[in-house]
Amino acid sequence: MSTLDRKLLRDLRHLWAQALAILLVIAAGFATLILGVGAYRSLEQTRAAYYERNAFADVFARLERAPKSLGSRILEIPGVVAADLRIMRQVIIDIEGMSEPASGLAVSLPDFSPAHLNQLTLRAGRTPEPGQSSEVVINDSFARAQHLGPGSRFSAIFNGRKHELEVVGVALSPEFIYVLGPGDLMPDDRRFGVLWMSETALEGLFDLEGAFNSVALKLLAGASESAAIAQLDRIIARYGGVGAYGRKDQISYAFLDSELQQLSAMSRIIPPIFLAVSAFLVNMTLSRLIALEREQIGLLKAIGYSRLAVAAHYLKLILVIAILGSLVGAIAGTWLGRGLTALYGEFYHFPFLIFHRDPDIYLLATAVSVGAAVLGGLKTVFAALRLPPAVAMQPPQPPRYAKLWGEGIGLAQVLSQLTIMSLRSMVRAPLRAVTTLIGVASAVSLLVMAMFAIDSVEFMIDVSFFRTSRQHASVILAEEQGPGVLQSVQNLPAVMRSEPYRSVAVRLRNGHRERRTTIVGQPPGQDLSRIVDSEFKVVAPPSEGLLVNARLAEVLKLRRGDIVDVELLEGKRGTKSVVVSDIIESYLGLAAYMDLDALNRLIGEGPRISGMHIAYDRRDEPALYRALKSTPAFASVQLQRISLSKFRDTIRENINFMTTTYVVLSVIIAFGVVYNSARIQLSERARELASLRVLGFTRSEVSRVLLTELAIVILLAQPLGWAMGYAFSWGVIQGFSSDLFTVPFLIETSTYARATLVALLASAASAFVVRLRVDRLDLVSVLKTRD
Amino acid sequence: MQPEIVFQARGLTKVYQTGDVEVRALDGVDLQLYKGEFVVLLGPSGSGKSTLLNILGGLDWATSGTCRFKDHDLTVDDERALTLYRRDHVGFVFQFYNLIPSLTARENVSLCTEIARDPMPPEEALRLVGLGERMNHFPAQLSGGEQQRVAIARAIAKRPEVLLCDEPTGALDSKTGVWVLEALASVNAELGTTTVVITHNAAIREIAHRVIYIADGRIAHIVENERRLAPSEISW
Ligand SMILES: Nc1ncnc2c1ncn2[C@@H]1O[C@H](COP(=O)(O)OP(=O)(O)O)[C@@H](O)[C@H]1O
Ligand SMILES: [Mg+2]
């Protein structure tokens, strides 16, 4: 081994703590990219493969009743490669020991051939025997939530008749990755299940012999979805078709898509910022670290080493750190990414997982990390190499201090001489102070960005559940009824208040833009279900016109006063034009509200309501549930309390897994940066500080000179860090919203405070190390090597 | 017989520019040094001695004037040529030792011998300066005098043609200083190395062939010693 290489090893050993800190910063930036992008791509691919393998359909439609012979006409629609004609209908589920009302969706399985589309993956058991009306396969989430499995029994009400069922299998389906009960905002696996049963059995139970009421289509790749939807609508219109829709309006697909979109926002924006920031920090740190080697670089040159040899020597040092950092980052990123993918895979109920490890992100991360390190280090090496060796070897010229602004006006009397020293040193070496400041600010900004999303989601929850939809529950009628039904709801036990609403499936169209949604009609002056404007002031639906939320306005490019076409997908159908009277604030879905009377007039079938929002006394809840279950007119109940907790479980968890990882990584970066800044600052000023010690200043006085400077810089870095964090977070939130959820942008003060707290903890720990180092300053060697 | 000229300087000038202050460290120096001679540079602090030595050693560049070492032009701006010149011909003893703190005495010497054309073993060089016993010590474990001797061992180990020493005894007591000078004198005598020693210690001038007095960046006068003293005969 050459002596120069031996020096390399010893230098590395000597610098181990700083080298380790840099290595960890590189690793953290690297790992973030690998795990973020890796997990997202893996899940994206898994979803695609799952949909592919289980033949998830492209177009879906419900109707009232049509003869199976219609199937051949449906298959003739251009672009359709497969069509499954099914029976799908809501049932009430009755499980022993469960007080809340539960419901389910009965779905037919063909008896004599496997389903072409939306194929099940059996987790346990088998499919029902043809014609066996007591055998049922249930979805995995429902089975888990209810602790059901093959052999379990429960009953359900089919067409008003109670029927005993035995679970014969548990399955996953691409069509029901998320299952939402009627009116539910969030999946509630305990209260809603999918029941797959034999087709002939269901025909019997629902009096649908030879008929179907649901259709799913698979389209040829590249076939026009909207054309197929239009054709299908035309075919099924006279059979009570309620408007066919594509995947993006299929609730399970849309839900998963919105979850993946949030992951995508977090993995497309956050990791590159992490990587860029870590690269910048490593660049800065290495360049400062190597600046300390100026005299040794001069010496190597003086004794005859060529520039190339010297540069190669330091390049090795940088590469050891950068490559080890990348290696640790790659391993940690892959491992964490795998763990995260598995966690999400479980969360999304995927039957299998595809781990995706593209070389491209590894190459990119290596190029950025190693490149930044090499550039930062070599920049300084070459700067030192350009100096004549005689100059490089000299100790830096004694700094020329200037008097501080303010010293003249008596600042000197207030501040101690040592504090003045710190301040002067910052003013004299602004670049050093600024690089430390930017480094610390970057670390703080990463922390803010990693943590803010929860704030936004909590704000969304607050507005959605505590300021607008304040009801305890919503009772959904099996069929729309006249307003008289309100009284019977009011008379239910425990009910304190009830407010009617009507919801109508529509297609809203503005020019070529269109969206499927529902218009909710409600009377003015509602206390439970409130509508708020963009300033969160309660507004009443106007006597004419439509209120739309910001998301709907955005996707349809609607402004106040615009006319929007409303195609009614229920009842007498037809298309009407309605004025958008205002844009409101609502974060759930594509919300559209009207005055109840105005909606009734629009539909033109007299006053009707489809459900009631209620407030009730929790103490009498069981009595209320019993009454609801025994009234067939009430198809189901949506419980706000459960929606809220499911909302947290789902949206928050979805973000949480990912952000927790990011927070840990940004804490590592914060520590690495602050520690290195402090250590380098100490080395840069070692001589000066040792001289102070020799002059008789105590250790703590000498540490104070350094630490005062560091403290000022770190404090100044906080506001900058918050501002950068705000900007980064704003970038992230842009990708968060989907048609299902709009995530408002909000960062709580506590998040800034937490980010700062981490930075301060890192600073305190670093200050402690610096203090120990000051105690060990070698006074003699400082004096003996100099004039 | 005419002695061979190794260094030839004409109108050598060095101006340092720090901010708006201009320092004329060398102001038109004309100088010849001969093969095998032992020269002492004497002069007050700040007179330009180190600057002159650095230019002779290829560690710094003159602002104007010419300087040649044999057929090497030291004033041309050729980084590679200067590096090779330093590597192959010059042994330098720096005023502040400039040892690599993470390398032992022996390793500090081999750092130089590894790239030299015809070096002596590092151990031999260290024994020459009386440090045979402390080869595996790190600079921080050595006294100032010992560090200076490591620096000298490093300079002589490559058997250079010229040995340039900037205040090699500056920080040393008389006894150790004499030791160091003896090492330099014996290298000069045995290997015929042209040796230039900077000092502001007038006692040392007695051991030189020639003494060059420098003041204010110029050569004030040059004295040839009729009789040289051995290092052991002087003290301070
Ligand atoms: N790198 C430098 N930058 C600016 N001035 C310098 C530098 N090196 C030396 N000087 C100045 O040049 C003059 C001569 O310095 P030097 O050759 O070191 O003197 P000596 O070695 O005789 O004490 C001094 O005034 C010194 O301050
Ligand atoms: Mg000098």
Side-chain angles (χ1 to χ4, degrees):
Chain A
M1 194 196 314
S2 80
T3 308
L4 218 46
D5 286 340
R6 200 162 295 154
K7 165 174 167 357
L8 177 79
L9 291 184
R10 298 236 177 89
D11 288 347
L12 271 173
R13 198 183 322 155
H14 177 68
L15 284 174
W16 73 268
Q18 279 169 275
L20 183 70
I22 298 176
L23 186 151
L24 286 178
V25 172
I26 294 177
F30 200 113
T32 313
L33 190 79
I34 302 303
L35 80 91
V37 177
Y40 172 68
R41 285 189 184 167
S42 299
L43 292 166
E44 178 88 86
Q45 292 243 327
T46 303
R47 172 177 68 165
Y50 182 25
Y51 282 167
E52 176 74 37
R53 287 188 205 173
N54 290 46
F56 181 48
D58 296 312
V59 172
F60 307 82
R62 274 190 296 130
L63 45 141
E64 258 150 40
R65 176 193 193 110
K68 283 185 181 162
S69 53
L70 205 61
S72 54
R73 274 186 63 201
I74 292 173
L75 274 170
E76 278 165 17
I77 296 174
V80 171
V81 285
D84 270 3
L85 309 179
R86 304 180 293 177
I87 293 172
M88 270 169 91
R89 193 172 272 186
Q90 212 76 47
V91 296
I92 307 264
I93 290 177
D94 193 8
I95 291 180
E96 216 163 304
M98 184 179 174
S99 64
E100 313 93 293
S103 55
L105 184 67
V107 181
S108 64
L109 287 175
D111 281 326
F112 303 107
S113 65
H116 296 105
L117 304 177
N118 307 315
Q119 289 157 1
L120 303 186
T121 300
L122 272 179
R123 272 282 143 110
R126 56 170 177 85
T127 49
E129 293 295 337
Q132 268 295 352
S133 66
S134 64
E135 291 186 355
V136 64
V137 171
I138 57 174
N139 62 316
D140 188 54
S141 342
F142 182 59
R144 284 177 200 228
Q146 286 287 2
H147 308 289
L148 299 174
S152 312
R153 293 173 174 279
F154 62 95
S155 55
I157 297 164
F158 292 79
N159 234 4
R161 289 187 301 264
K162 194 161 175 166
H163 192 79
E164 281 292 320
L165 295 172
E166 184 192 341
V167 177
V168 295
V170 173
L172 295 170
S173 156
E175 193 181 3
F176 299 107
I177 293 174
Y178 280 106
V179 281
L180 264 73
D184 274 352
L185 294 168
M186 280 288 149
D188 181 358
D189 296 332
R190 222 170 78 79
R191 292 183 47 247
F192 190 79
V194 183
L195 317 180
W196 286 280
M197 294 172 68
S198 146
E199 186 176 302
T200 39
L202 281 185
E203 283 178 7
L205 287 169
F206 289 125
D207 298 324
L208 283 168
E209 278 85 1
F212 67 97
N213 72 353
S214 161
V215 57
L217 303 182
K218 182 95 206 149
L219 301 182
L220 217 55
S224 158
E225 184 186 287
S226 54
I229 288 175
Q231 294 233 33
L232 180 60
D233 272 348
R234 224 167 301 140
I235 295 172
I236 64 177
R238 37 182 293 247
Y239 301 97
V242 190
Y245 50 91
R247 281 184 179 181
K248 88 174 163 19
D249 290 312
Q250 201 266 348
I251 192 69
S252 169
Y253 178 91
F255 223 94
L256 180 60
D257 197 54
S258 102
E259 301 260 282
L260 279 178
Q261 195 184 325
Q262 283 164 8
L263 283 195
S264 150
M266 287 189 286
S267 61
R268 246 179 253 199
I269 298 169
I270 298 179
I273 293 179
F274 261 71
L275 185 66
V277 167
S278 94
F280 163 77
L281 294 173
V282 166
N283 179 292
M284 186 185 89
T285 310
L286 273 174
S287 110
R288 284 177 74 180
L289 196 63
I290 288 182
L292 297 170
E293 296 277 303
R294 195 180 94 152
E295 291 169 45
Q296 297 200 20
I297 293 173
L299 173 80
L300 290 175
K301 245 185 107 185
I303 60 178
Y305 280 89
S306 66
R307 284 182 186 218
L308 210 65
V310 178
H313 170 64
Y314 285 97
L315 185 63
K316 280 187 207 163
L317 178 83
I318 298 163
L319 284 181
V320 168
I321 298 176
I323 290 176
L324 276 179
S326 300
L327 208 65
V328 172
I331 293 170
T334 309
W335 182 73
L336 286 171
R338 238 173 196 279
L340 212 56
T341 308
L343 212 57
Y344 276 107
E346 176 86 357
F347 186 65
Y348 298 147
H349 311 296
F350 287 150
F352 56 88
L353 283 174
I354 296 174
F355 290 105
H356 203 65
R357 280 195 304 272
D358 298 305
D360 64 339
I361 44 174
Y362 289 85
L363 286 176
L364 176 74
T366 309
V368 172
S369 306
V370 176
V374 167
L375 286 181
L378 285 191
K379 182 177 70 188
T380 339
V381 172
F382 280 107
L385 281 174
R386 262 195 301 280
L387 295 174
V391 177
M393 284 164 66
Q394 267 173 14
Q397 289 286 307
R400 291 185 307 156
Y401 284 97
K403 278 216 164 186
L404 284 179
W405 175 87
E407 277 187 69
I409 58 168
L411 206 61
Q413 272 98 66
V414 190
L415 302 173
S416 78
Q417 199 56 46
L418 291 177
T419 312
I420 299 250
M421 261 190 82
S422 314
L423 294 176
R424 275 191 194 155
S425 135
M426 275 165 53
V427 174
R428 175 181 58 82
L431 204 65
R432 181 170 73 196
V434 166
T435 44
T436 305
L437 188 137
I438 294 178
V440 175
S442 309
V444 169
S445 72
L446 294 187
L447 284 161
V448 170
M449 177 175 67
M451 296 188 294
F452 89 97
I454 298 295
D455 294 349
S456 291
V457 169
E458 280 302 322
F459 180 68
M460 178 184 175
I461 287 176
D462 180 54
V463 170
S464 304
F465 291 90
F466 299 104
R467 298 200 212 178
T468 55
S469 300
R470 293 149 29 98
Q471 67 271 21
H472 296 156
S474 301
V475 176
I476 295 133
L477 298 174
E479 262 160 23
E480 293 192 331
Q481 295 189 29
V485 70
L486 199 55
Q487 196 51 52
S488 59
V489 170
Q490 189 66 58
N491 290 342
L492 286 171
V495 170
M496 301 184 299
R497 189 183 168 87
S498 68
E499 296 176 353
Y501 70 88
R502 180 174 192 182
S503 78
V504 181
V506 294
R507 206 175 266 143
L508 298 181
R509 203 171 285 123
N510 180 28
H512 66 281
R513 296 171 214 278
E514 61 168 57
R515 278 291 193 283
R516 260 182 77 108
T517 183
T518 53
I519 294 180
V520 175
Q522 61 181 50
Q526 301 291 62
D527 185 51
L528 299 176
S529 168
R530 291 173 169 181
I531 303 169
V532 297
D533 64 12
S534 53
E535 264 101 52
F536 303 107
K537 281 212 298 286
V538 176
V539 293
S543 53
E544 294 293 333
L546 190 68
L547 298 172
V548 297
N549 71 350
R551 174 75 188 185
L552 185 54
E554 187 194 312
V555 296
L556 294 182
K557 295 280 173 281
L558 290 174
R559 279 170 313 178
R560 186 203 292 223
D562 285 354
I563 307 276
V564 61
D565 288 339
V566 178
E567 180 189 345
L568 300 169
L569 297 175
E570 292 176 40
K572 282 203 294 192
R573 316 295 163 98
T575 299
K576 311 276 165 83
S577 292
V578 181
V579 177
V580 174
S581 51
D582 212 347
I583 313 289
I584 56 154
E585 199 76 357
S586 163
Y587 303 131
L588 304 180
L590 303 170
Y593 287 97
M594 281 182 89
D595 177 73
L596 181 57
D597 291 338
L599 183 63
N600 283 332
R601 279 197 301 280
L602 190 75
I603 298 172
E605 292 170 3
R608 284 275 183 281
I609 62 174
S610 35
M612 275 79 51
H613 301 304
I614 60 173
Y616 62 85
D617 187 343
R618 279 286 298 276
R619 283 168 301 183
D620 292 335
E621 200 172 60
L624 172 65
Y625 289 162
R626 267 197 305 279
L628 285 171
K629 281 206 250 183
S630 63
T631 316
F634 303 145
S636 57
V637 177
Q638 179 249 320
L639 299 170
Q640 200 72 350
R641 176 169 47 86
I642 292 175
S643 290
L644 171 60
S645 76
K646 291 292 160 191
F647 198 96
R648 284 222 171 86
D649 289 356
T650 321
I651 306 271
R652 247 191 92 134
E653 291 296 279
N654 187 47
I655 295 173
N656 239 349
F657 293 148
M658 196 71 114
T659 51
T660 307
T661 323
Y662 290 151
V663 168
V664 170
L665 293 169
S666 52
V667 168
I668 292 175
I669 292 181
F671 269 82
V673 169
V674 176
Y675 176 70
N676 254 311
S677 298
R679 283 297 306 274
I680 292 175
Q681 198 118 326
L682 174 64
S683 308
E684 285 167 346
R685 302 189 62 189
R687 213 182 301 289
E688 195 182 336
L689 298 177
S691 313
L692 278 181
R693 289 274 291 118
V694 172
L695 291 180
F697 285 94
T698 66
R699 287 168 179 170
S700 64
E701 282 166 336
V702 169
S703 318
R704 232 180 60 208
V705 174
L706 191 69
L707 296 180
T708 305
E709 183 178 341
L710 208 59
I712 293 173
V713 171
I714 286 169
L715 288 180
L716 286 179
Q718 301 307 314
L720 179 63
W722 300 334
M724 287 164 62
Y726 184 90
F728 290 160
S729 306
W730 188 86
V732 174
I733 206 77
Q734 297 314 304
F736 254 65
S737 294
S738 62
D739 284 358
L740 283 179
F741 310 105
T742 305
V743 183
F745 182 36
L746 183 100
I747 305 182
E748 292 284 353
T749 321
S750 62
T751 295
Y752 293 122
R754 270 202 303 274
T756 291
L757 186 70
V758 172
L760 293 185
L761 283 178
S763 309
S766 310
F768 179 70
V769 176
V770 165
R771 178 60 222 268
L772 292 181
R773 290 265 151 185
V774 168
D775 290 354
R776 284 196 280 156
L777 269 184
D778 185 351
L779 305 188
V780 185
S781 78
V782 165
L783 300 180
K784 107 181 142 186
T785 53
R786 292 303 158 202
D787 272 324
Chain B
M1 185 196 79
Q2 187 70 30
E4 185 193 340
I5 298 176
V6 283
F7 281 108
Q8 178 79 266
R10 289 258 172 277
L12 212 52
T13 300
K14 176 74 183 183
V15 180
Y16 286 113
Q17 189 83 41
T18 17
D20 39 353
V21 205
E22 200 176 80
V23 179
R24 236 164 222 280
L26 289 183
D27 191 6
V29 169
D30 296 328
L31 180 70
Q32 290 177 343
L33 298 178
Y34 303 101
K35 183 167 173 45
E37 77 172 329
F38 194 117
V39 174
V40 163
L41 283 183
L42 259 182
S45 176
S47 56
K49 305 182 296 292
S50 296
T51 307
L52 177 59
L53 202 71
N54 287 341
I55 293 174
L56 294 180
L59 299 180
D60 207 347
W61 302 297
T63 312
S64 67
T66 59
C67 183
R68 305 182 62 82
F69 168 78
K70 293 187 172 171
D71 50 358
H72 296 262
D73 185 350
L74 301 183
T75 38
V76 304
D77 185 17
D78 182 350
E79 167 68 32
R80 236 183 94 72
L82 276 181
T83 300
L84 286 179
Y85 163 65
R86 290 194 298 263
R87 177 188 297 192
D88 295 337
H89 305 288
V90 188
F92 218 110
V93 179
F94 306 101
Q95 191 172 356
F96 304 122
Y97 325 144
N98 290 83
L99 299 177
I100 301 272
S102 54
L103 295 180
T104 62
R106 190 214 316 257
E107 289 160 352
N108 262 287
V109 177
S110 38
L111 193 62
C112 247
T113 54
E114 275 173 13
I115 54 169
R117 284 189 296 195
D118 172 32
M120 60 178 88
E123 295 76 14
E124 188 186 329
L126 283 164
R127 266 194 293 276
L128 264 180
V129 296
L131 273 181
E133 306 301 307
R134 320 208 62 175
M135 286 190 291
N136 292 324
H137 287 59
F138 285 96
Q141 300 166 315
L142 297 171
S143 73
E146 287 166 331
Q147 289 186 49
Q148 187 64 298
R149 281 186 277 159
V150 175
I152 293 170
R154 178 176 66 189
I156 60 174
K158 62 159 89 160
R159 304 185 212 274
E161 282 168 75
V162 291
L163 190 55
L164 307 174
C165 313
D166 196 343
E167 304 202 24
T169 60
L172 309 181
D173 61 85
S174 173
K175 191 162 153 281
T176 339
V178 168
W179 254 90
V180 164
L181 292 175
E182 273 179 340
L184 294 177
S186 76
V187 169
N188 171 254
E190 285 161 30
L191 306 175
T193 310
T194 308
T195 306
V196 183
V197 175
I198 290 181
T199 180
H200 48 233
N201 185 343
I204 293 176
R205 68 171 185 260
E206 308 287 353
I207 65 169
H209 292 116
R210 285 201 299 160
V211 184
I212 300 177
Y213 289 85
I214 302 209
D216 290 334
R218 296 162 199 267
I219 294 183
H221 59 279
I222 299 178
V223 174
E224 257 180 76
N225 281 334
E226 296 296 318
R227 199 182 85 82
R228 290 172 72 197
L229 295 183
S232 55
E233 292 172 274
I234 61 166
S235 72
W236 58 87

